[in-house]
Amino acid sequence: MMMQRRPPSGAQAVDKGSLAYLQSRNKNRRMNLLFVLGLTVVNIVLLFADSSSYFLFSALLPYWTVAFGYYWEVPVLMAVGIGILLVYLVLFLLWDRHPAVPIAALVLFSLDCAFLVWLCIGEPISDYLLDILFHVALLVYLIDSVRVAVALRRKQKAARGNSFGTGAVTGSSARQICRLHSGYAGGRRRFLILYFCIDKPRGRWYDLR
């Protein structure tokens, strides 16, 4: 007697290479960056309020740059620290635009990790253990975010290509399609014709005669 297999749950049924899965992973990685940015801003506000409280899981480089400028009364350092925070904010807002954005976030946070290493020099590692664990974890997430962003962009390009159709057209029909897509928006016309010509060797569209 054959055993009945349980139907896969919603989480199990999701294809890890699907567009929906990659979009979900990309969104999660983006929210991680916002989480770090938010806690860093809170810590800076607490610094200006002369509070002794400090939240972990924040970026150290902008925080300590602002802190050094605040205690030493060097406005330039404070401006640099706030500028770094603004860069984090811009990266968060532009996250979905291009895989280069997660790469830039990875580079920026790598500088934060290097700053943490500098802070640990001559100090007991136990004093920075939680910060080290957090930075390693987020660094791994950001590395994975680059992989996800690249895979997502490829998937989106493939989906856009398939949305135009997959049939091959030849002869006069092909020329009619060319005229149809070149009959409006001069800047876009050249892009569409070039796009078709690039896709043509893959046989997705048509072979102009």
Side-chain angles (χ1 to χ4, degrees), residues 38-147:
L39 286 183
T40 306
V41 171
V42 169
N43 283 333
I44 291 176
V45 171
L46 291 175
L47 172 70
F48 290 151
D50 293 327
S51 174
S52 58
S53 301
Y54 175 84
F55 290 97
L56 295 172
F57 314 121
S58 64
L60 296 178
L61 182 58
Y63 173 80
W64 282 107
T65 305
V66 172
F68 290 151
Y70 179 68
Y71 289 122
W72 297 344
E73 298 182 353
V74 182
V76 174
L77 284 178
M78 297 176 61
V80 170
I82 294 174
I84 296 173
L85 288 177
L86 291 177
V87 173
Y88 273 112
L89 178 61
V90 170
L91 293 175
F92 168 76
L93 295 175
L94 300 180
W95 187 270
D96 295 327
R97 295 295 184 89
H98 196 276
V101 178
I103 292 174
L106 174 61
V107 172
L108 185 59
F109 193 74
S110 297
L111 295 177
D112 205 85
C113 294
F115 181 74
L116 175 59
V117 172
W118 179 77
L119 288 177
C120 291
I121 295 176
E123 300 290 339
I125 297 297
S126 58
D127 291 350
Y128 293 95
L129 185 58
L130 290 178
D131 282 315
I132 292 172
L133 293 176
F134 161 70
H135 276 69
V136 170
L138 187 57
L139 197 62
V140 171
Y141 272 110
L142 288 175
I143 292 173
D144 183 65
S145 72
V146 173
R147 181 191 64 81

